[in-house]
Amino acid sequence: MPSGWVLPKLLKVLGLEGDKASIIKFEFNPKDGIDNPALSLAEDIDGEATGEPRFYLLSKGSTETFGFCLHEELGCQGHVIRQVELGGLAQRRGLQDGDRLLQVNGHFVDHMEHQRVVQKIKASGNQVLLAVLDGDSYEAAKALGRDLSQMLPADIRPRLCHITRDKSGFGFSVSGPEGVKGTFQLSVRQDGPAERAGVPSGSWLLELNGHSVRSCSHSQLARKLKQSGSKVTLLVASGPVEEFYRLRGLQATAALADTSWLPFKARELHMVKGDAGYGFLLKEDDYGSGDVGQFLWDIDAGLPAEQAGMKEGDRVLAVNGESIEGLDHQETVLRIRAHKEQVTMLVIDPASDAFYRSIGLSPLLFLDDGDPALGSCTPSLPSPSDSPGLCHIDVGPKGPGSWLMAAANSITITQSPCREEQKRLRHAF
């Protein structure tokens, strides 16, 4: 690739084409190789350096931590990166103490309540894409009334699409350079199954049925498609989105995806208790791979649960704005009873639940930013083991008060004891 092409192309992507005062620099730790450098952009205007957002893709093992804490502090705006573990993943990638978190997996979070942001990081599992801004630049931008969301790319999410074939096929064809693995561009038939499922023509294929295609040859991909049967799930990226990740040395995965085209959705149920109760049975049971969940059964006709749209076999994801993933039966019952006369639940049907399990991701990860089911909430119970939660209360830097510190899937300061194996529980309401 000609060296003279790279810089203008990069400036165009970042919205700074024609800005001769811009300085591009790459920052990465040689220990981590060059697969995931952090790209930071600094503009030097009239001698004053103004920081720009930096992007980091953090990928950890199931027994590891991301190595940082996320704070909400008195007298300090934003979601503050703190306690960056020396030698940990976050520190190796380039996160710094005092950075402000702007985006999680392509979702702007600066305006969100702190506990909701923690939940987004937790739901992301072992991989999360963060956009941060250094503290000084953040405070300067806030003082000037700058819209921080305008400092970020408009949409950097790949798209997750689920296609059901018709008599003529899936409605797309694949092309790529001969002899080159993992580079596949899609042509989409007008009004075919792929187009109806949201696949943009000309997009690049990243994953097939939850697995990366980076190491696939064209013949291997064709065989995998044939083995998919009548349904297939694709992770695709438009040209600008693919370029965004490629220029930063980042890998786009399903955890970062826009899922608005998927037919699989969680549902919010709001119920006001009647004289005969809500009219459902809550049962704890296994739902695959040793995971335990809380399920809804024995729904009484004509009572609030049925009227709200509850279906037998639905699994409960959240109660009154708080995730119950990882909670046991009795803790979930207490959440339901916290508001004596009414309750709001986020639930998912078995087919949708099975889909998200098949791609190894929590459905909570893909709730829209404005979804009321996980909006404002006040923690009322200890957080489950291995999840972010309230872990420290102290005096703020400007007098009496408190710092609310939530461990962003990182350093666990307090944990509830590990739950022992117990009998399956049921509770009627």
Side-chain angles (χ1 to χ4, degrees):
M1 184 179 294
S3 60
W5 178 89
V6 177
L7 183 58
K9 192 74 171 177
L10 184 57
L11 290 174
K12 182 178 180 180
V13 170
L14 294 163
L16 292 166
E17 191 174 24
D19 185 354
K20 297 181 179 179
S22 298
I23 302 171
I24 304 293
K25 63 177 182 178
F26 284 91
E27 298 175 346
F28 64 94
N29 189 323
K31 180 179 177 181
D32 296 318
I34 60 172
D35 289 337
N36 184 21
L39 173 63
S40 64
L41 176 68
E43 293 179 53
D44 190 1
I45 302 174
D46 297 330
E48 295 184 7
T50 303
E52 291 290 328
R54 312 187 317 271
F55 295 86
Y56 300 101
L57 183 64
L58 306 182
S59 300
K60 67 180 184 67
S62 57
T63 61
E64 297 176 316
T65 68
F66 289 131
F68 72 94
C69 283
L70 193 66
H71 283 209
E72 183 180 55
E73 299 175 354
L74 288 179
C76 192
Q77 297 185 82
H79 307 290
V80 190
I81 302 292
R82 294 294 190 200
Q83 293 183 259
V84 180
E85 185 179 330
L86 184 63
L89 177 60
Q91 193 261 345
R92 297 198 309 270
R93 287 291 183 259
L95 278 180
Q96 299 175 12
D97 186 80
D99 281 343
R100 300 303 199 277
L101 182 59
L102 300 184
Q103 259 187 2
V104 176
N105 293 334
H107 294 271
F108 186 66
V109 299
D110 185 61
H111 63 294
M112 288 186 187
E113 292 192 2
H114 192 70
Q115 191 68 14
R116 178 74 188 278
V117 180
V118 171
Q119 177 59 43
K120 276 191 169 291
I121 297 173
K122 176 180 179 291
S124 192
N126 292 332
Q127 185 176 76
V128 65
L129 176 65
L130 306 179
V132 301
L133 184 64
D134 70 273
D136 289 342
S137 297
Y138 178 91
E139 292 174 3
K142 284 286 189 180
L144 293 171
R146 188 172 180 184
D147 183 354
L148 294 174
S149 67
Q150 297 302 309
M151 299 174 68
L152 298 160
D155 191 358
I156 59 172
R157 292 180 295 168
R159 185 178 291 184
L160 199 59
C161 304
H162 187 72
I163 310 168
T164 301
R165 67 180 302 155
D166 61 16
K167 59 184 179 182
S168 60
F170 288 117
F172 67 87
S173 59
V174 181
S175 62
E178 186 176 354
V180 177
K181 291 186 175 181
T183 302
F184 305 109
Q185 193 166 28
L186 305 180
S187 297
V188 178
R189 189 178 79 239
Q190 187 174 2
D191 200 34
E195 186 180 73
R196 292 194 296 270
V199 180
S201 192
S203 57
W204 298 91
L205 179 62
L206 306 177
E207 291 184 6
L208 172 67
N209 295 329
H211 300 284
S212 173
V213 300
R214 294 177 75 183
S215 61
C216 287
S217 65
H218 195 282
S219 60
Q220 289 172 327
L221 180 66
R223 186 164 57 251
K224 289 178 182 291
L225 282 168
K226 187 175 181 180
Q227 293 169 347
S228 297
S230 62
K231 299 179 187 297
V232 66
T233 301
L234 307 181
L235 181 70
V236 299
S238 65
V241 171
E242 185 276 336
E243 190 173 47
F244 172 88
Y245 288 94
R246 176 166 45 81
L247 289 174
R248 290 159 176 80
L250 305 177
Q251 182 179 354
T253 65
L256 315 176
D258 169 12
T259 61
S260 60
W261 289 85
L262 288 178
F264 308 108
K265 309 287 184 184
R267 311 187 322 276
E268 184 187 7
L269 311 178
H270 181 71
M271 295 167 282
V272 177
K273 186 185 291 186
D275 294 337
Y278 292 120
F280 68 90
L281 182 76
L282 184 71
K283 179 183 178 182
E284 182 178 82
D285 209 346
D286 292 322
Y287 67 101
S289 302
D291 293 321
V292 176
Q294 307 301 321
F295 294 86
L296 303 169
W297 297 100
D298 296 351
I299 299 165
D300 295 329
L303 292 187
E306 185 193 52
Q307 293 171 352
M310 186 179 291
K311 305 294 183 184
E312 291 204 356
D314 283 345
R315 182 167 70 90
V316 182
L317 301 175
V319 175
N320 295 328
E322 297 179 65
S323 169
I324 61 105
E325 290 192 340
L327 298 190
D328 64 21
H329 183 80
Q330 194 57 38
E331 289 171 320
T332 305
V333 170
L334 292 175
R335 291 275 173 95
I336 293 171
R337 287 179 167 172
H339 300 268
K340 294 183 178 180
E341 299 304 321
Q342 58 183 331
V343 66
T344 299
M345 291 185 181
L346 190 70
V347 304
I348 192 165
D349 65 85
S352 297
D353 206 10
F355 170 79
Y356 286 107
R357 288 204 309 275
S358 74
I359 60 174
L361 297 171
S362 168
L364 290 173
L365 180 60
F366 302 109
L367 293 178
D368 292 336
D369 289 348
D371 195 309
L374 282 180
S376 176
C377 63
T378 302
S380 55
L381 292 170
S383 296
S385 178
D386 298 325
S387 71
L390 304 181
C391 54
H392 183 67
I393 298 178
D394 204 344
V395 176
K398 297 186 178 181
S402 67
W403 284 1
L404 176 63
M405 182 177 79
N409 212 6
S410 57
I411 305 170
T412 306
I413 296 179
T414 60
Q415 291 184 347
S416 57
C418 293
R419 181 163 53 111
E420 297 179 356
E421 183 63 27
Q422 55 185 280
K423 296 185 294 184
R424 298 293 170 255
L425 302 173
R426 300 158 60 93
H427 196 94
F429 288 87

